Amino acid sequence: MGYEVYIRSFADANGDGNGDLDGLHDRLEHLAWLGIDVVWITPFYPSPRFDMGYDVANYCDVDPIYGDLDAFDRVVARARELGLRVMVDLVPNHTSHVHPWFEDSRTSRSSARRNWYVWRDPAPDGGPPNNWVQHFGGPAWTWDETTGQYYLHLFLPEQPDLNWDEPAVRDRFDEILRFWLDRGVSGFRIDVAHSLVKDARLPDNPQLRPVTPDMSPGEVHDSFEHLYDVDQPGVIEVYRRWRTIVDSYDALLLGEVYLRDPAKVRRYVASGDALHTAFNFDLMHMPWEVDAVRRTLRSLTDNAVGGTAVAISSHDRKRAPTRFGGGPEGTRRALALLVLTLGLPELTFLYQGDELGLGDIDVPDDLADDPAGVRNENKSDSRDGCRTPIPWSPEGPAMGFSTSERTWLPLGERKPDDTVAIQRDDPGSHLHRVRELIAARRHRTDLHLDGPAAQWMEASDHIVAYRRGATIVAANLSDQPAELHLPSPDWAVAYSTLGDGRPPGSATIVLEDLEAVICDLETETD
Ligand code: NOJ
């Protein structure tokens, strides 16, 4: 069971309003109590934070707002004591524009590191070398006055893309991997893992539809077929090389392969000598409709790539309860989906706050931070709402997140019932339901990664259900009761999102609206 820690919003130990490594250290017990095995920490490296740390200025250090390397070592040591493994976020596609490599690269065309980034002459009309667009709006090229060339950035101009055709870049990243492995990390979440290598000829991407001024950056990006800037054949070689390194440490390579096409993602994992696993993001893109949920979950198993990681929320998307309608209903929908997801043979990551059933916060414009919103007229892509601090307890100026009332993003309208402390004391809380769910999965080998394949069951229009060995997982996704037909009366409801199980005795049971269950085949023992 994985857990994503968005470090700046997790827990603040030094009272400056920013989450930090000491804060994480002090709260690791919460994750162990919850039943987590692997903690992925988002970037904590020195950074000017134009893209919240995904613009790294030094890959082998800790930004002072998060602590220092000793604080990181304490996190790893404490995690080990608690039986948790720590993964760090590796950002190899781009650096910060203030990384010394880029500062050197841009000094002159003959700089020793010129070829570490992607520099090109202008097109004949003086404009960018091709039509590639960046993710946060605008062209993927920025003109550099000093050396009279453009440089490539698939994200912000402050995030220049590294040139992975340059052998020195590959060598340097081998060292970076070893640096963190030697400090005891158990793996890497690899940022934009599908993009490192580009077609060196830099052809235009085919345009699929006209781009209009009212489009969000995401819509502009999706208006092109990304034939040449992502998913190039050579990228796998990078992971083959890294695999030989991490295997000797028994560590994991988890790719953020954001391709939304299982056949393409398979290439990164299936050969067994590249990535161990890759995220599938479809759960974060589906609407709340029974057919869509059924189809999306089925495609996870039908298109199993031999190692898939999934999440219902992340720091890049609106939180699941918000996406699914908000309010108590959105939260119950998110829990039902979590049950269905956790029963499948995937590596599931909770995003911090999923265990509390948190939805997004409305962050006012004057407190906004995310470039996806701040830098665009159309703010619909802003990710601030899902990135606000975790409410730990009802007391204090920042609900236990910080001793300061000035937090980097606001806590917003969180209620006492949203907090970890109140939910831990309430056996009927969302937190307890999630904890029991994680335990229920752990205790059933049929639901483990290497358990039997899921057999999808014929069920009513409202119910999604599958069987793995002696376990059935089912959810009523509608707002009215629905009947679940079990193969025989010998099945007992062992886990329910409503709290109470049901003994065996009937082959038809009624699931309440949005109730999800795990059922066991009861076998007689004497
Ligand atoms: C994916 C990260 O999750 C996101 O937060 C970031 O903006 C981009 N990659 C660029 O690094």
Side-chain angles (χ1 to χ4, degrees):
M1 187 72 212
Y3 189 96
E4 177 188 355
V5 166
Y6 193 69
I7 186 73
R8 198 171 179 187
S9 287
F10 191 66
D12 170 21
N14 68 359
D16 68 355
N18 300 296
D20 48 38
L21 290 168
D22 282 344
L24 168 59
H25 170 276
D26 296 347
R27 298 287 189 181
L28 281 172
E29 185 274 340
H30 167 66
L31 304 185
W33 174 84
L34 189 56
I36 300 301
D37 307 299
V38 188
V39 181
W40 146 37
I41 314 174
T42 55
F44 48 76
Y45 317 107
S47 164
R49 287 187 293 282
F50 280 84
D51 183 19
M52 257 317 299
Y54 284 95
D55 46 329
V56 178
N58 180 349
Y59 288 95
C60 296
D61 207 347
V62 172
D63 192 288
I65 73 159
Y66 300 125
D68 53 22
L69 284 170
D70 288 343
F72 179 80
D73 291 344
R74 286 195 295 275
V75 166
V76 174
R78 179 71 183 133
R80 192 165 289 149
E81 281 169 15
L82 292 165
L84 299 164
R85 305 192 356 149
V86 172
M87 292 178 69
V88 295
D89 213 316
L90 190 69
V91 191
N93 181 67
H94 44 265
T95 68
S96 159
H97 67 309
V98 300
H99 195 296
W101 301 343
F102 188 66
E103 287 185 335
D104 183 38
S105 184
R106 73 192 311 179
T107 52
S108 82
R109 290 194 186 200
S110 58
S111 141
R113 294 200 182 83
R114 186 67 171 177
N115 197 41
W116 287 36
Y117 294 83
V118 185
W119 293 97
R120 284 296 185 283
D121 288 333
D125 67 357
N130 65 21
N131 71 348
W132 295 0
V133 290
Q134 53 129 323
H135 285 264
F136 297 130
W141 297 93
T142 288
W143 175 251
D144 182 62
E145 201 57 58
T146 316
T147 55
Q149 281 191 315
Y150 281 93
Y151 67 88
L152 177 69
H153 50 89
L154 295 188
F155 293 85
L156 296 174
E158 293 84 357
Q159 294 169 292
D161 276 43
L162 283 162
N163 175 14
W164 277 88
D165 292 333
E166 164 57 49
V169 168
R170 295 183 185 227
D171 291 346
R172 195 64 196 91
F173 268 84
D174 290 353
E175 292 165 22
I176 292 164
L177 255 65
R178 288 206 171 87
F179 178 86
W180 292 106
L181 291 164
D182 286 338
R183 293 200 104 85
V185 310
S186 298
F188 301 91
R189 177 268 189 189
I190 303 158
D191 192 57
V192 281
H194 52 299
S195 281
L196 272 51
V197 174
K198 284 87 184 172
D199 187 319
R201 298 165 304 144
L202 302 175
D204 277 357
N205 280 322
Q207 189 159 354
L208 303 170
R209 59 181 180 191
V211 169
T212 55
D214 58 319
M215 283 181 165
S216 71
E219 288 166 338
V220 173
H221 198 261
D222 290 348
S223 302
F224 292 85
E225 191 182 358
H226 293 272
L227 277 188
Y228 302 112
D229 52 347
V230 304
D231 194 32
Q232 301 303 300
V235 71
I236 307 296
E237 292 315 316
V238 175
Y239 304 127
R240 293 216 163 97
R241 176 171 172 149
W242 290 2
R243 183 69 177 256
T244 62
I245 298 173
V246 299
D247 272 354
S248 60
Y249 291 83
D250 193 23
L252 189 86
L253 293 177
L254 161 61
E256 189 212 19
V257 184
Y258 221 122
L259 291 171
R260 310 281 326 280
D261 176 347
K264 289 183 178 169
V265 177
R266 181 174 287 121
R267 210 164 59 82
Y268 292 72
V269 177
S271 59
D273 60 353
L275 299 181
H276 293 90
T277 174
F279 268 115
N280 178 306
F281 294 97
D282 292 349
L283 293 175
M284 288 197 244
H285 288 269
M286 73 185 184
W288 188 263
E289 288 160 13
V290 182
D291 281 349
V293 175
R294 187 179 283 130
R295 212 176 327 112
T296 308
L297 289 167
R298 281 196 75 140
S299 92
L300 277 179
T301 49
D302 292 351
N303 297 303
V305 295
T308 306
V310 289
I312 61 167
S313 304
S314 81
H315 65 285
D316 285 333
R317 303 283 302 167
K318 291 197 189 319
R319 288 178 175 276
T322 301
R323 291 200 316 275
F324 297 147
E329 191 171 54
T331 300
R332 291 182 63 210
R333 288 174 169 178
L335 183 56
L337 178 62
L338 202 57
V339 174
L340 290 171
T341 305
L342 263 174
L344 293 174
E346 327 293 341
L347 172 59
T348 303
F349 276 81
L350 293 180
Y351 174 49
Q352 62 186 39
D354 277 350
E355 74 276 28
L356 302 170
L358 299 184
D360 275 23
I361 290 294
D362 280 330
V363 175
D365 284 355
D366 57 328
L367 298 176
D369 179 88
D370 180 27
V374 172
R375 295 208 187 183
N376 296 289
E377 285 290 305
N378 181 331
K379 309 210 172 304
S380 58
D381 286 353
S382 173
R383 301 166 294 182
D384 284 329
C386 66
R387 295 178 170 185
T388 58
I390 290 298
W392 289 93
S393 63
E395 300 86 32
M399 302 191 102
F401 165 71
S402 171
T403 52
S404 165
E405 63 187 18
R406 286 179 62 83
T407 56
W408 79 282
L409 282 179
L411 265 290
E413 60 275 13
R414 298 283 184 225
K415 309 266 186 313
D417 280 353
D418 293 328
T419 64
V420 175
I422 297 287
Q423 293 205 23
R424 256 180 99 145
D425 280 350
D426 173 7
S429 66
H430 192 94
L431 177 59
H432 277 273
R433 288 289 95 79
V434 172
R435 182 173 184 249
E436 286 158 15
L437 170 63
I438 294 170
R441 182 205 214 201
R442 186 183 306 280
H443 296 139
R444 284 170 182 74
T445 48
D446 279 349
L447 297 186
H448 290 185
L449 295 184
D450 53 0
Q455 295 170 309
W456 294 86
M457 292 165 58
E458 292 296 323
S460 86
D461 287 351
H462 303 307
I463 289 184
V464 175
Y466 57 84
R467 177 176 176 171
R468 295 184 68 197
T471 305
I472 286 174
V473 180
N476 173 7
L477 303 186
S478 76
D479 54 8
Q480 52 193 285
E483 286 185 347
L484 169 68
H485 302 289
L486 298 164
S488 77
D490 302 328
W491 292 81
V493 175
Y495 168 89
S496 162
T497 50
L498 297 181
D500 291 324
R502 325 228 217 308
S506 170
T508 299
I509 57 171
V510 175
L511 295 188
E512 299 301 329
D513 61 301
L514 295 177
E515 181 182 10
V517 293
I518 297 175
C519 307
D520 291 330
L521 178 60
E522 300 285 302
T523 45
E524 274 186 42
T525 47
D526 34 35

